Amino acid sequence: MKLVLAIVQDQDASRLSAAFVDNNIRATKLSSTGGFLRAGNSTFIVGVEDSRVDATLQVIKANCESRDEYATPPLISVDAAAGDSAAVRPIEVRVGGATVFVLPVDAFHQF
Ligand code: 2BA
């Protein structure tokens, strides 16, 4: 068994939840916050048999889009007080579609 952790943008979370249900993939959604943009995102915890990992990744890939977002000071760590002119300019970052970790599971219990 594997644990799939998928961090996705909030805009994709409802569609991905529905796709998990349609594909009989059991998942838990957590509200999370990106460390860089400090904007809300969603983290899905999915426990799946090894044989279904690829199918799960395909469902995630098919339902999560990449988007351009902007990070504006003071969210980026630039010292505006030092007079750095870059400090006042928003920077564009490409977010997603999904950041996914696949972890081994030692044991799985439901009591
Ligand atoms: P955030 O940390 O808010 O990052 C949003 C986007 O900002 C990232 O998109 C990336 O394009 C950019 N970014 C992040 N850190 C950066 C930095 N130090 N310098 C320049 N640009 C930076 P994604 O890579 O698609 O990540 C989307 C979200 O996935 C992240 O939101 C974070 O919540 C999570 N994530 C990404 N990589 C991770 C990792 N290695 N471990 C844990 N969470 C991760």
Side-chain angles (χ1 to χ4, degrees):
M1 187 176 214
K2 294 286 191 293
L3 190 70
V4 177
L5 285 180
I7 303 163
V8 310
Q9 293 177 73
D10 281 341
Q11 297 98 309
D12 297 323
S14 292
R15 185 173 52 179
L16 182 56
S17 287
F20 281 147
V21 172
D22 289 346
N23 288 277
N24 195 25
I25 295 167
R26 298 188 182 192
T28 296
K29 182 171 91 69
L30 305 176
S31 295
S32 44
T33 303
F36 187 67
L37 293 181
R38 299 180 203 180
N41 52 28
S42 296
T43 299
F44 286 85
I45 302 173
V46 187
V48 284
E49 295 306 322
D50 287 15
S51 61
R52 301 191 71 206
V53 169
D54 286 346
T56 300
L57 295 178
Q58 286 305 315
V59 168
I60 295 169
K61 190 174 179 183
N63 287 280
C64 297
E65 293 175 21
S66 293
R67 297 181 183 86
D68 293 324
E69 302 284 345
Y70 291 89
T72 51
L75 296 184
I76 58 173
S77 60
V78 175
D79 185 1
D84 186 342
S85 60
V88 297
R89 280 188 231 123
I91 61 163
E92 188 175 348
V93 291
R94 188 94 181 141
V95 185
T99 298
V100 182
F101 302 88
V102 179
L103 310 171
V105 173
D106 283 346
F108 170 69
H109 302 287
Q110 284 184 305
F111 298 113

